[in-house]
């Protein structure tokens, strides 16, 4: 098995990014630390890839912004646009360039990242998503590449720089809000994927129900990809639940886009919002403001998430011996007209 930067870092007792900067003789690394790292390299027989590691010695400053491996999700979700706007503004102030990275699958995204690294065109990366078993995150971590994660770290949380909301608490408060309005038959609608924020919001929803001694009904958990063909039967479970005798009186939706798609189904079924069904969603995007009625939504401060991510990646690029930082950006519920007391 080949020796990696992570192996050298473990033996030397330093971070992988310190090893990477030692390879390029970065002035921020002390002589003592460089000697310790080089000794570990020699003991392990590690041969650094100077072409890849020359990113730390360049005068130009560029941050790669890694988007999810989706052909359509990125371009339809305002969360990413707001986060990128925050990143761009902060990078402009610090005279850092940034470039967007995406692809149809993980392999394509990973190839773009490797190409940028091998050509020395990136000082670090901001990853705009968090999910389990991700090849991209594994590659960045294993090779000691400096990156910041927007979302919860699923592995090595004490060694990963991440910016996030408390999605569990946010969803709990949103569900509490519905319960305070008198609702007990509350459903949860999310997308069918392994994103960490979806799982956290689902967990917060369940915590609220349990705290109020409200039974958790499995049929109230709905995972739906509204980008699919609506005539292929993929919405049948949702339609059946909404028209059943045990239909929910309120729904917590994981994203404003999903809430807009939900409203389309409700119009088809003749169900009125909020008179017959209350809806609260997440992101407080333009979609939430323009729907009829406007949606009550949890504002997760996407723009601030981007600013904090840019601040941290630049801070860690310029100060590579910093410990991994964790920042939680606050949220708030924006009340509009999509919820009524039962």
């Amino acid at each position: 098995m080949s020796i990696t930067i992570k192996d050298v870092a473990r033996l030397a007792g330093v971070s992988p990014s310190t090893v990477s900067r030692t390879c390029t003789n970065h002035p921020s690394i002390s002589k003592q630390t460089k000697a310790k790292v080089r000794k570990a390299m020699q003991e392990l027989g590690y041969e650094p890839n100077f072409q890849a590691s020359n990113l730390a010695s360049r005068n130009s400053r560029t941050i790669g912004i890694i988007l999810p491996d989706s052909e359509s999700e990125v371009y339809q979700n305002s969360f990413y646009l707001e986060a990128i706007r925050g990143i761009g503004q902060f990078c402009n102030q610090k005279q850092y360039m940034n470039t967007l990275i995406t692809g149809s699958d993980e392999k394509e995204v990973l190839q773009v990242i490797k190409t940028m690294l091998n050509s020395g065109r990136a000082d670090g990366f901001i990853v705009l998503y968090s999910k389990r078993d991700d090849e991209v995150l594994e590659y960045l971590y294993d090779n000691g590449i400096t990156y910041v994660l927007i979302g919860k770290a699923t592995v090595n949380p004490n060694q990963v720089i991440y910016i996030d909301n408390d999605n569990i608490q946010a969803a709990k408060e949103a569900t509490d809000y519905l319960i305070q309005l008198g609702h007990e038959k509350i459903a949860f609608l999310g997308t069918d994927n392994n994103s960490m924020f979806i799982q956290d919001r689902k967990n917060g929803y369940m915590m609220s129900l349990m705290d109020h001694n409200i039974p958790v009904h499995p049929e109230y958990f709905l995972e739906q990809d509204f980008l699919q063909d609506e005539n292929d039967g993929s919405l049948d479970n949702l339609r059946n639940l909404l028209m059943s005798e045990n239909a929910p009186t309120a729904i917590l939706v994981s994203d404003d886009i999903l809430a807009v798609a939900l409203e389309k189904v409700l119009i088809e079924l003749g169900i009125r919002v909020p008179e017959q069904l209350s809806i609260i969603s997440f992101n407080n995007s333009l979609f939430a403001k323009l729907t009829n009625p406007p949606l009550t939504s949890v504002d997760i401060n996407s723009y601030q998430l981007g600013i904090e991510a840019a601040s941290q990646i630049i801070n860690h690029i310029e100060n590579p011996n910093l410990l991994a930082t964790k920042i939680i950006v606050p949220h708030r519920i924006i009340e509009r007209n999509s919820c009524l007391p039962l």
Side-chain angles (χ1 to χ4, degrees), residues 12-308:
V14 298
S15 69
S17 61
T18 298
V19 177
S20 178
R21 283 163 173 76
T22 297
C23 291
T24 59
N25 200 31
H26 197 284
S28 65
I29 307 300
S30 69
K31 292 181 178 179
Q32 295 84 351
T33 299
K34 287 177 181 176
K36 183 167 57 174
V37 171
R38 287 165 180 159
K39 181 181 178 183
M41 289 180 180
Q42 186 175 11
E43 289 182 16
L44 293 173
Y46 175 73
E47 295 291 338
N49 183 343
F50 289 104
Q51 183 182 20
S53 60
N54 68 6
L55 60 92
S57 62
R58 296 177 296 105
N59 291 324
S60 61
R61 298 174 173 183
T62 302
I63 293 169
I65 303 174
I66 304 175
L67 295 153
D69 56 347
S70 169
E71 296 180 349
S72 57
E73 176 188 358
V74 172
Y75 309 104
Q76 299 186 39
N77 194 324
S78 62
F79 163 78
Y80 300 112
L81 299 178
E82 282 295 291
I84 291 169
R85 187 168 70 90
I87 293 169
Q89 177 169 314
F90 194 90
C91 286
N92 290 342
Q93 294 173 356
K94 298 296 182 178
Q95 297 184 324
Y96 273 72
M97 303 290 290
N98 54 73
T99 185
L100 299 179
I101 302 169
T102 190
S104 59
D105 55 36
E106 286 182 2
K107 295 187 184 304
E108 186 175 334
V109 173
L110 193 54
Q111 184 56 53
V112 175
I113 293 169
K114 290 178 179 179
T115 298
M116 291 186 66
L117 290 172
N118 288 333
S119 59
R121 288 186 287 135
D123 294 273
F125 296 90
I126 296 174
V127 185
L128 293 186
Y129 66 91
S130 175
K131 64 180 183 180
R132 300 183 187 278
D133 304 320
D134 183 75
E135 292 183 32
V136 172
L137 295 178
E138 290 176 5
Y139 176 82
L140 294 174
Y141 180 81
D142 289 345
N143 288 276
I145 308 301
T146 302
Y147 73 96
V148 169
L149 182 68
I150 293 186
K152 181 185 291 184
T154 60
V155 294
N156 307 303
N158 292 326
Q159 301 174 53
V160 174
I161 311 160
Y162 66 86
I163 318 296
D164 199 10
N165 304 110
D166 188 341
N167 281 294
I168 294 177
Q169 181 63 26
K172 183 180 183 302
E173 290 177 11
T175 310
D176 289 345
Y177 175 84
L178 293 172
I179 293 172
Q180 290 164 8
L181 292 176
H183 296 278
E184 293 189 0
K185 299 166 69 174
I186 304 169
F188 177 87
L189 178 60
T191 53
D192 184 11
N193 59 45
N194 61 350
S195 295
M196 291 303 299
F197 75 90
I198 295 289
Q199 296 302 318
D200 281 352
R201 290 172 187 174
K202 184 186 293 184
N203 289 337
Y205 156 81
M206 290 191 293
M207 285 177 58
S208 175
L209 295 181
M210 290 186 288
D211 283 353
H212 291 87
N213 297 314
I214 297 174
V216 178
H217 298 288
E219 65 271 22
Y220 281 0
F221 289 98
L222 296 165
E223 294 183 335
Q224 183 64 58
D225 182 359
F226 279 103
L227 302 179
Q228 294 176 355
D229 184 355
E230 62 186 50
N231 297 316
D232 66 357
S234 60
L235 299 178
D236 287 350
N237 287 340
L238 174 60
R239 292 190 181 100
N240 292 339
L241 176 62
L242 293 172
M243 298 302 292
S244 68
E245 292 184 1
N246 198 34
T249 62
I251 298 183
L252 172 63
V253 188
S254 66
D255 185 274
D256 290 337
I257 296 176
L258 280 178
V260 171
L262 169 62
E263 286 189 332
K264 182 179 179 181
V265 175
L266 296 175
I267 292 172
E268 168 198 323
L269 299 177
I271 298 174
R272 300 188 308 278
V273 177
E275 291 84 1
Q276 293 173 279
L277 184 72
S278 291
I279 300 175
I280 184 169
S281 60
F282 276 83
N283 288 359
N284 190 36
S285 66
L286 183 62
F287 296 103
K289 302 170 188 176
L290 295 180
T291 56
N292 186 21
L295 290 168
T296 295
S297 186
V298 180
D299 190 343
I300 61 171
N301 292 305
S302 307
Y303 178 70
Q304 189 65 33
L305 285 167
I307 289 177
E308 296 292 346

